[in-house]
Amino acid sequence: MLPVVVVHGGAGFVPKERDELSIAGVQEAARRGYAVLKSGGSSMDAVVEAVTSLENNPAFNAGRGSVLNLKGEIEMDALVMDGSTLACGAVSAVKRVANPVCLARLVMDKTSHVCLTAEGACQFAKAMEIPEVTEESLITDYARKRWQDNLCSDSNPVLCQMGKMG
Amino acid sequence: TVGAVAVDVQGNLACATSTGGMLNKMEGRVGDTACIGAGGYADNKIGAVSPTGHGESILKVTLARLILFHMEQGKSPKEASDLALTYMQERVSGLAGAVVVDPKGTWAARFNSRQMAWAAAQQEQLHYGLYKGE
């Protein structure tokens, strides 16, 4: 079996000045994931390693660099799935966690549930001794500028979201 | 949104997806990423998928599982992705992309959005792209 890892950094518009950052980021993530596979690691280890790398890279909208919601806050979602057992884990609307993908893996490994959300997910992170980070540490200047530039004057939350990409 | 799929030397598949969501989303909004079958799926017998794009649209067509459905019918990862993305665009006008692998290690990175940064590593080679056709 020839091991392989494939990563993405999101579908949508990448401004020209961020092209190189995005390409370099996905290359680094693929290299990291592939290194895990080459050393005999599992596909689950590889995808978590690759996604953690992307979450830590402020060029991407996950982990550090996440976009801001209407209130100017960060809420993150993540999932993992193991194709050998169909085991899976997910978190949604989680805050103050640097790597939601690692928390999703813990949901899969340490609970009998599939998804934990919001405050419950944050409490689970604490129970798992995942270090809490400040929200400020996850917010980049670029994310804050985009948020300020895109605040809708009519503040209708449905209209605000029309045409936007996840 | 970011994501990854992989096949290891034992032939096991996995996927992971993570997102900060959508700019100016309502507080409490959850898109596809936390939903198994929409924001990701992996099954050793079929393949693994990590999608990205407009979360509500991805949820409506359960994009990850839809791609794997086409692979179950004998389509390649590339064909299956294109079929599912076209269906999604036609039915709910959503733009998206996905990275996909099958149990043999055949992979694809496909999207109908303007761009999607992607990279793949296999046999000591690194492939990557941002625009269509790369």
Side-chain angles (χ1 to χ4, degrees), chain B residues 38-56:
Chain B
Y41 203 84
D43 184 337
N44 275 13
K45 294 185 175 180
I46 316 165
V49 178
S50 172
T52 170
H54 186 248
E56 280 72 8

Side-chain angles (χ1 to χ4, degrees), chain A residues 8 10-13 61 77 157-166, chain B residues 1 17 19 21-25 29-35 38-39 51-64 84-85 88-89 91-98 111-116:
Chain A
H8 69 73
F13 175 64
N61 164 28
D77 309 328
V158 175
L159 292 177
C160 281
Q161 292 166 30
M162 294 297 287
K164 301 250 177 70
M165 300 293 287
Chain B
T1 305
T17 310
T19 192
M22 188 169 66
L23 184 61
N24 291 352
K25 65 184 177 183
R29 176 265 189 185
V30 175
D32 63 295
T33 299
C35 300
T52 170
H54 186 248
E56 280 72 8
S57 301
I58 291 172
L59 280 164
K60 287 172 184 174
V61 300
T62 53
L63 184 63
L85 290 169
M88 179 177 144
Q89 193 165 20
R91 295 286 286 144
V92 291
S93 303
L95 298 178
F111 52 100
N112 60 13
S113 54
R114 192 167 155 185
Q115 296 152 304
M116 182 179 83

